[in-house]
Amino acid sequence: MVLSGILAAQRDRVRSFNASHPFVLRFLLCVAAVLFGLVLIELPFNPSFILTIEPAHVLQNLLVLGILFAVIYMVGLQTRGTAVAFWAVCLGIGCANHYLMSFRGTPVIPSDLFALATAAQVAEGYALTPDASVLAGAASLLALAVLTFRFVPPLTLRARGRVLSAVLGLVLAAGAAVAFVNVDAKLVTGASVKAFHMDRTYQKNGTALSYVVLGQQLLVHEPQGYSDERARELMDQASDLLSERGVPVGESNGADQEGSGAAQAGASKAGAGKGSSKKPTVIAIMNETFADMTLFEELRDCPEATLSNFNRLAGESVASGYSYVPCYGAGTCNSEFEFLTGASLAFLGSGAYPYQYHDLSRARNLARFFGDQGYATSAIHPAAAANWNRDKVYPALGFGRFYDISSFEGAEQLREKTTDRETYAKVLELLDSTDQPQFIFDVTYQNHGGYKKHLVDEGRYVHAKVNGGESPELNEFLSCLQQSDQDLAWLVEQLEQRDEPVVLVFFGDHMPSIANQVCGTKLQLTDNAQVAQSQKRYTTPYLIWANYDAVVPDAATGEAAKKSLFATSTGYDPMPRLNGCPNQVNLSLNYLGSTLIEVTGLPLDGYFAFNAAMRDRLPVLNTVAYMDERTNWHKWDQDAGEDQRAALEDYQVVQHWSLFGNG
């Protein structure tokens, strides 16, 4: 009786305080909303955020969250439910960061919000298992909701108050949008972005501040010194330079060169090995998560990780080596973008997905180039057409046909995904469908993560030993990789038997995120060594093979090739040679398209001539770092020398012309 009386008295005092101090409670709710919003957004992903986020950045995160909450709260008419909804959103972002780190090795970035449909499609391959940090966040949200509805009285606004609240919220949102566009948050806050360690970026800056900084990088701005005339001048200079080297170059950008003398000469040279002047059909295969895991010391002597067929074919190819790609663990569309357009993600902002929000209908790219040369153009990807917006992007780039999952009904499956060989069979079917030269771009799907479901049957399953034990995820991935290696050999056997000239370029889109888990190679001390080791996670092998005596590209001859092999002069672990291939050249993926055109013997247009000429000045250019002509690595936050600055500025001018100018 005494206890119940005490509790009743306490409730009466709370009600009395609530009735007499409603604005105090509202103020406390707003403060709690922002503070606990920070906790809920960080807790699942970075439980020790109090220790990792720099003090100044903590206040900056609270400011960002405060503005966001104020907008939601005012537009939401200041109800208690808006506070709970805000917390739920914060927790959702924190959980998304947590799970994406385990899937692909990076947290959520702003451009991911443009790819929610794609994320839903591919998420089926991953297992979502709540752990202690996720459960703690969920319990905290539940407790906050109960306390809010228990102790904070509802606020009833009259009609005029509702309108005023909504208008003030919208005005605040407009002001925040203006500041977002015009104020450089990275400069003002001192936040840093490590493109190849996005998890550390978030841990140091905080999620909310990182979102603002990365979001601003998605805005398109004309580069310094840009004009259409300057871009054309640079392309003309590159064309003249390559012509002096004997590289076939056309006279225009985007015009039909079918009847030009240069085009006919290139076609004759390309078809010489098959006894005709027919232009070669070109097959480009971007193989899902095809990677050379022997780059890591832990797997260097592992037979299950060795790509025996690929290595053999690389030694027989016109050109082969390693390509430096823009993504790690995920982001296939960005590797597509760089290969097809010759553009670099390094100039479009960390975490950008051009397929999702840029109009690429004017962009110079391989599909448009080969279409201008009279080729039929086709794209293949045995998944949903809407993934990464491909159903809209491929036509915009100039592909005439797109074969998605609907073209593979009843196809053989591996891990519940269409096999590589089934897509190669589709390629061969297209070759038989017409005598017209073709450009076929095949994006495979078989090896897509995750690797925890263990869907590979025992007949194909490999058992790799790493550090004296086995990793089920690694074993599943390597099982898929070995199957891809065998299917590549099968495809080349089929192409060898064909009479028409064919050029095949084959490369991987990115490394699997499990490289972080199974490979513990420590970074060396020098800046060059650190970047080189980090770049290994952004490296995949490639080859360019032909069934005739094709043209050896300029990139694989003379001084340019020696430089791109990255000799040991800088003292770091160099990339190994592929089976002693005589025409090996390592390059970033944005250069692979122009290298491919050179192999066909067709004349480069002005844009791809510029791209090819830039290989000498910047042999590697990706989101991690860039390499100068002396094989020295440069981080993006380091000051560049005058020559490097000029090269970077020139590249940005022509890239902007291709993607957003070109008028």
Side-chain angles (χ1 to χ4, degrees):
M1 293 291 292
V2 174
L3 179 60
S4 61
I6 293 174
L7 292 176
Q10 184 65 28
R11 283 195 298 269
D12 290 340
R13 281 194 290 269
V14 169
R15 291 193 188 101
S16 176
F17 183 87
N18 290 348
S20 59
H21 301 84
F23 295 108
V24 173
L25 289 172
R26 287 284 160 180
F27 175 76
L28 292 176
L29 174 63
C30 293
V31 172
V34 177
L35 292 174
F36 285 107
L38 176 65
V39 173
L40 291 172
I41 205 171
E42 298 292 346
L43 181 61
F45 163 67
N46 182 24
S48 57
F49 67 93
I50 293 297
L51 301 177
T52 64
I53 302 178
E54 294 187 359
H57 293 338
V58 171
L59 297 177
Q60 292 157 1
N61 276 268
L62 291 173
L63 175 61
V64 172
L65 292 172
I67 293 173
L68 178 61
F69 173 73
V71 171
I72 294 174
Y73 189 62
M74 299 299 286
V75 174
L77 305 181
Q78 305 178 42
T79 65
R80 296 174 295 182
T82 55
V84 176
F86 174 75
W87 286 327
V89 169
C90 291
L91 178 61
I93 294 172
C95 290
N97 284 341
H98 171 81
Y99 287 116
L100 240 62
M101 270 302 301
S102 64
F103 297 159
R104 73 179 188 189
T106 64
V108 177
I109 52 182
S111 50
D112 288 328
L113 302 179
F114 293 91
L116 295 178
T118 300
Q121 288 284 339
V122 302
E124 298 174 358
Y126 299 93
L128 299 177
T129 304
D131 61 9
S133 61
V134 173
L135 293 174
S140 299
L141 174 62
L142 179 61
L144 288 169
V146 170
L147 291 172
T148 298
F149 283 100
R150 175 67 180 81
F151 292 106
V152 179
L155 178 64
T156 303
L157 294 176
R158 297 180 180 179
R160 180 180 298 178
R162 293 177 183 177
V163 172
L164 181 60
S165 179
V167 169
L168 289 176
L170 294 175
V171 169
L172 179 59
V178 170
F180 178 80
V181 172
N182 293 286
V183 179
D184 188 340
K186 186 176 180 181
L187 180 64
V188 170
T189 64
S192 59
V193 175
K194 297 182 180 297
F196 53 99
H197 288 301
M198 201 62 74
D199 55 335
R200 298 181 192 174
T201 296
Y202 278 45
Q203 289 166 0
K204 181 179 179 180
N205 297 338
T207 299
L209 178 59
S210 296
Y211 267 41
V212 173
V213 172
L214 294 173
Q216 287 187 329
Q217 293 187 15
L218 304 181
L219 302 175
V220 175
H221 301 286
E222 284 190 356
Q224 182 177 355
Y226 176 80
S227 69
D228 286 355
E229 292 74 19
R230 175 60 178 160
R232 294 190 182 97
E233 179 185 340
L234 290 169
M235 289 185 284
D236 289 341
Q237 292 173 359
S239 297
D240 292 342
L241 176 64
L242 291 186
S243 293
E244 293 174 1
R245 296 182 187 172
V247 178
V249 177
E251 298 179 355
S252 62
N253 292 285
D256 188 348
Q257 302 169 344
E258 180 71 20
S260 71
Q264 293 298 328
S268 176
K269 188 177 182 180
K274 287 295 180 179
S276 77
S277 61
K278 182 179 179 181
K279 295 177 181 178
T281 278
V282 179
I283 303 167
I285 295 174
M286 189 175 76
N287 194 275
E288 174 68 48
T289 323
F290 191 87
D292 183 1
M293 300 296 283
T294 64
L295 289 174
F296 299 101
E297 292 181 9
E298 293 82 355
L299 294 170
R300 189 152 293 172
D301 299 318
C302 176
E304 292 82 7
T306 301
L307 304 171
S308 56
N309 289 301
F310 179 91
N311 290 339
R312 172 179 58 82
L313 293 170
E316 302 168 0
S317 293
V318 185
S320 64
Y322 292 95
S323 62
Y324 291 84
V325 299
C327 48
Y328 167 69
T332 295
C333 66
N334 281 350
S335 290
E336 289 184 42
F337 171 79
E338 286 205 344
F339 168 68
L340 291 172
T341 67
S344 174
L345 268 294
F347 301 126
L348 292 175
S350 301
Y353 290 132
Y355 271 22
Q356 297 300 123
Y357 45 79
H358 288 317
D359 177 7
L360 301 178
S361 59
R362 292 179 295 176
R364 292 302 298 164
N365 70 93
L366 292 177
R368 191 158 287 126
F369 172 87
F370 284 109
D372 291 341
Q373 294 284 343
Y375 279 61
T377 55
S378 304
I380 299 171
H381 182 54
N387 281 9
W388 292 124
N389 213 24
R390 290 185 180 97
D391 56 340
K392 298 180 179 64
V393 171
Y394 284 162
L397 291 174
F399 283 102
R401 295 172 292 184
F402 176 25
Y403 299 92
D404 64 357
I405 188 61
S406 63
S407 299
F408 292 90
E409 293 183 5
E412 181 188 9
Q413 303 282 299
L414 177 61
R415 298 171 61 247
E416 300 177 347
K417 296 174 176 63
T418 301
T419 63
D420 291 355
R421 186 173 297 203
E422 288 283 4
T423 70
Y424 301 161
K426 174 62 72 173
V427 170
L428 297 174
E429 178 186 319
L430 292 177
L431 294 187
D432 292 331
S433 66
T434 180
D435 291 331
Q436 182 183 7
Q438 299 186 65
F439 172 61
I440 303 171
F441 181 48
D442 178 14
V443 180
T444 69
Y445 193 50
Q446 165 189 293
N447 301 343
H448 196 284
Y451 310 105
K452 289 185 177 180
K453 289 194 172 183
H454 312 309
L455 298 175
V456 177
D457 59 75
E458 189 58 36
R460 290 174 168 172
Y461 198 76
V462 303
H463 295 272
K465 298 290 185 182
V466 182
N467 298 325
E470 291 191 21
S471 164
E473 289 182 73
L474 177 64
N475 283 343
E476 178 151 336
F477 168 71
L478 293 180
S479 300
C480 299
L481 195 62
Q482 288 299 315
Q483 189 63 46
S484 292
D485 190 52
Q486 295 173 27
D487 290 344
L488 171 61
W490 176 83
L491 173 61
V492 170
E493 288 176 5
Q494 306 305 308
L495 297 178
E496 283 177 325
Q497 301 169 19
R498 305 189 75 87
D499 293 329
E500 72 271 26
V502 177
V503 174
L504 167 70
V505 59
F506 179 98
F507 63 98
D509 58 347
H510 55 68
M511 276 265 186
S513 59
I514 58 174
N516 275 344
Q517 303 171 25
V518 299
C519 303
T521 302
K522 294 183 179 179
L523 300 182
Q524 300 179 36
L525 296 179
T526 66
D527 285 344
N528 257 340
Q530 288 183 4
V531 175
Q533 293 284 22
S534 296
Q535 284 279 21
K536 288 187 178 183
R537 289 167 169 78
Y538 289 81
T539 302
T540 65
Y542 82 91
L543 58 79
I544 304 177
W545 175 93
N547 65 348
Y548 64 95
D549 187 15
V551 178
V552 176
D554 182 67
T557 62
E559 289 302 311
K562 294 177 183 178
K563 291 173 182 175
S564 63
L565 287 176
F566 316 151
T568 58
S569 60
T570 49
Y572 57 82
D573 185 12
M575 292 297 180
R577 293 182 67 86
L578 284 170
N579 201 34
C581 175
N583 296 326
Q584 180 175 349
V585 56
N586 299 334
L587 41 75
S588 48
L589 191 55
N590 53 300
Y591 296 126
L592 187 56
S594 58
T595 306
L596 169 66
I597 295 173
E598 287 186 58
V599 172
T600 68
L602 296 169
L604 296 159
D605 65 14
Y607 173 71
F608 280 110
F610 173 83
N611 180 274
M614 288 300 296
R615 286 187 307 240
D616 287 351
R617 300 171 69 187
L618 299 167
V620 175
L621 181 71
N622 70 355
T623 53
V624 178
Y626 66 92
M627 176 177 279
D628 64 27
E629 58 186 3
R630 289 181 229 154
T631 74
N632 292 312
W633 288 109
H634 298 269
K635 298 178 182 178
W636 287 106
D637 57 359
Q638 290 177 331
D639 290 334
E642 184 175 346
D643 291 343
Q644 284 76 52
R645 279 196 299 270
L648 294 170
E649 289 172 4
D650 289 350
Y651 202 109
Q652 291 180 75
V653 166
V654 175
Q655 174 169 309
H656 188 87
W657 173 88
S658 172
L659 298 179
F660 310 113
N662 201 1

